[in-house]
Amino acid sequence: MGSVRAELMKLVRRPAAWLLLAVALVLALTFTYLIPYASYAGGTAGVRTVGGLPAMLPARLVGNSLGGLPVFLGALVLILGVLVVGGEYGWATWKTVLSQGPSRIRVYGAKLAVLAVACLVTVLAVFAAGAGASALIAAAESAPADWPSAGDLAQGVAAGWLIALMWAALGGLLAITLRSVALPIGLGLVWLLAVQNLLAGIAAPLLSWVATAQKGLPGPNAGSLVAALGAADTPGVERLVGAGQATIVLVGYLVGFAILGGAILRRRDVL
Amino acid sequence: MTAAIEVRDLVVERGKRRVLNSISTTVPRGSVTGLLGPSGSGKTTLMRAIVGVQIVRSGSVLVLGQPAGAAALRRKVGYLTQAPSVYDDLTVRENARYFAALYGYGATAADAAIRDVGLADAAGQLVASLSGGQRSRASLACALLGEPELLILDEPTVGQDPVLRAELWDRFHALAAAGTTLLVSSHVMDEAGRCDRLILIREGAIIADDSPADVRAAAGTTDLEEAFLRLIQEREEAVATPGDRAGSTAVANERQTP
């Protein structure tokens, strides 16, 4: 527990962690509520936001809160994963952390535990901000505020947590593999924001084996899971596989990334 | 009681270069031992081998009676690396408290370590805003946490002003008086006189391993820098004329030459 407490203490004092959370909330609110509502309320005559008012109301909270996780929210938690694990390379602190304190695996486990907490906080914050925004819109438009059931909310939070933690673990793995901060963030973002979309938008329609292969990739499975939970059809959100398969694949990636990162860290000379 | 550190016939190679050439030495407990030599002489490599983070080709290193790097040594050995090893985006206090929590100590121990290195006034400052010497001291504070039995300090006084250097050396001796063993590296010869024992290292070989007084006596000079130069010269002459070694190796470690 000492290692987890230490890592948690370090994370909450890092301005970068709070900045990422703030950016996540701003982006989620902007693209899920602000722009659609601005379009709905004052848009050009005849132009209405996709889904209209019902898409912004509390009944759609779960899907709206999860919609960003396959792409931009995923990118932000991937950056967080790189910073939490790879920061030790950036500051050249692994040698101090590991030479005198707990074992490598305990320190790595503590970092993963802290990432799990951070991802849960991020997902809950996105849900809370979305709840506030949708409640305001419902009140402003005198629309019904039908909230999702507690079960649906819990399922949505759990799915969001799984996806976020999977991306964060990928960030940690990239940091350990490349022993740095900048390159893992760069490559991770290229994969998340560019390669995945190129595969889905260009390669998959042309090559059947790419279309089949992408059903095993983390992004399309994340997109499938959030689509199954009500996320609107936005970039990265497409129901390619069922929710059950997507969940299993995502858990597999999460466990795989975590184990591989620990194995490399344990085996390598980090000094 | 066993020595704090026992190095036997240690060979370390990096690539095709032999960095440590079959060196042997012992460091007594409760002393301040200086590891001195020019840059690139192998000081940091020897320290890394003692901490247990250096892959060695052959030989053995025992630390507090255990093989270097043994899990049982984790809480007993403190290591200050040559480059400051702290987080720039945290304050000095946050750094010290993080490492304290990691090692299982409280905030009180962290604050005491900060005071010990003379950084109490800068405890709330971000490390990124500190001078090079202050960063080095912030790193030293983290190494001092938990009062380890053995402290390996790689150039801890680099960049420090003379007053602070004197304070740090006083602190080192106070720790030694309390039973801590310190191995302190430096490439500044005027720090050699502050040590209880000296290990002079050059090109991966130990050329002297004795008290400062005995090193001076062996070299026939009162100045340690001059003594170091004479010992190097004697060693080079001995290597050039192997039959004439006997009179020039009073303090040199005979086990160095393969």
Side-chain angles (χ1 to χ4, degrees):
Chain A
M1 277 308 289
S3 305
V4 176
R5 193 165 55 88
E7 290 297 332
L8 200 56
M9 192 172 77
K10 189 169 64 178
L11 183 66
V12 297
R13 284 170 171 75
R14 284 234 146 100
W18 295 106
L19 178 65
L20 286 172
L21 179 61
V23 171
L25 293 177
V26 168
L27 289 178
L29 290 176
T30 300
F31 290 107
T32 312
Y33 296 102
L34 188 62
I35 291 175
Y37 186 67
S39 166
Y40 174 82
T44 310
V47 178
R48 289 292 186 207
T49 182
V50 178
L53 180 62
M56 293 175 273
L57 295 178
R60 298 285 294 274
L61 176 62
V62 173
N64 284 343
S65 301
L66 295 175
L69 276 163
V71 187
F72 71 87
L73 283 179
L76 291 170
V77 290
L78 182 140
I79 293 172
L80 183 69
V82 174
L83 292 180
V84 167
V85 179
E88 310 298 346
Y89 295 104
W91 305 121
T93 40
W94 271 126
K95 48 199 171 189
T96 308
V97 169
L98 298 177
S99 64
Q100 199 171 341
S103 69
R104 294 180 185 204
I105 293 303
R106 277 185 63 184
V107 172
Y108 178 64
K111 287 182 180 296
L112 290 182
V114 165
L115 279 175
V117 172
C119 287
L120 181 59
V121 167
T122 303
V123 172
L124 288 173
V126 170
F127 267 80
S134 61
L136 279 176
I137 291 171
E141 298 295 329
S142 301
D146 298 326
W147 295 95
S149 68
D152 287 345
L153 281 172
Q155 194 179 34
V157 169
W161 191 20
L162 170 63
I163 296 168
L165 191 51
M166 184 271 298
W167 288 128
L170 174 60
L173 171 61
L174 287 172
I176 290 170
T177 306
L178 301 170
R179 297 198 232 205
S180 59
V181 175
L183 189 57
I185 288 177
L187 288 180
L189 294 185
V190 165
W191 173 263
L192 234 156
L193 302 178
V195 176
Q196 283 193 158
N197 287 330
L198 289 172
L199 285 174
I202 296 175
L206 296 174
L207 298 167
S208 60
W209 65 267
V210 174
T212 305
Q214 73 164 349
K215 291 179 182 173
L217 294 176
N221 278 280
S224 298
L225 181 56
V226 301
L229 293 172
D233 195 10
T234 52
V237 179
E238 187 182 357
R239 199 162 184 173
L240 292 175
V241 298
Q245 180 187 324
T247 303
I248 291 168
V249 171
L250 291 171
V251 168
Y253 273 112
L254 169 59
V255 173
F257 292 154
I259 290 176
L260 191 56
I264 296 171
L265 179 65
R266 187 167 184 270
R267 192 167 179 271
R268 267 189 179 168
D269 184 3
V270 295
L271 297 177
Chain B
M1 186 182 285
T2 58
I5 302 169
E6 293 181 60
V7 179
R8 290 282 169 267
D9 305 319
L10 181 65
V11 176
V12 175
E13 292 178 347
R14 285 200 178 146
K16 292 180 179 176
R17 195 170 79 90
R18 184 163 284 202
V19 183
L20 293 179
N21 192 7
S22 189
I23 68 169
S24 298
T25 187
T26 59
V27 173
R29 291 186 186 238
S31 65
V32 180
T33 300
L35 180 59
L36 290 108
S39 295
S41 57
K43 302 188 297 293
T44 297
T45 303
L46 177 56
M47 291 185 139
R48 285 164 53 98
I50 292 167
V51 173
V53 294
Q54 176 67 54
I55 295 171
V56 303
R57 180 169 180 80
S58 62
S60 67
V61 182
L62 284 180
V63 176
L64 304 172
Q66 307 254 5
L73 293 173
R74 278 190 177 278
R75 289 183 174 275
K76 296 180 179 176
V77 180
Y79 178 36
L80 172 72
T81 54
Q82 198 167 343
S85 179
V86 281
Y87 304 98
D88 277 14
D89 59 344
L90 300 180
T91 66
V92 174
R93 184 181 293 113
E94 287 166 350
N95 266 283
R97 289 190 177 180
Y98 163 72
F99 283 106
L102 192 68
Y103 303 159
Y105 301 100
T108 309
D111 295 345
I114 292 169
R115 279 197 304 277
D116 284 346
V117 298
L119 274 182
D121 291 341
Q125 252 181 273
L126 281 179
V127 168
S129 69
L130 300 177
S131 68
Q134 286 176 313
R135 287 154 84 108
S136 185
R137 276 186 282 152
S139 197
L140 178 59
C142 298
L144 290 175
L145 280 163
E147 300 176 354
E149 288 180 43
L150 173 64
L151 268 172
I152 308 291
L153 306 178
D154 198 354
E155 311 237 4
T157 57
V158 167
Q160 310 296 344
D161 64 67
V163 175
L164 199 63
R165 269 169 50 190
E167 286 176 11
L168 285 176
W169 278 100
D170 288 345
R171 175 69 187 151
F172 297 159
H173 282 286
L175 286 166
T180 305
T181 305
L182 293 96
L183 181 63
V184 184
S185 79
S186 177
H187 65 273
V188 183
M189 291 307 295
D190 68 359
E191 296 198 317
R194 299 177 187 270
C195 300
D196 301 323
R197 291 185 65 82
L198 291 177
I199 300 171
L200 301 182
I201 186 168
R202 186 168 189 268
E203 294 176 351
I206 292 176
I207 60 172
D209 186 354
D210 218 324
S211 68
D214 287 343
V215 169
R216 289 190 190 99
T221 174
T222 56
D223 180 60
L224 274 171
E225 186 156 354
E226 178 63 24
F228 190 37
L229 292 173
R230 286 188 187 180
L231 290 168
I232 291 170
Q233 193 175 9
E234 285 179 12
R235 185 174 182 82
E236 286 174 351
E237 288 171 1
V239 170
T241 54
D244 191 32
R245 289 189 66 196
S248 63
T249 54
V251 293
N253 188 326
E254 287 289 344
R255 287 171 290 218
Q256 306 318 307
T257 308

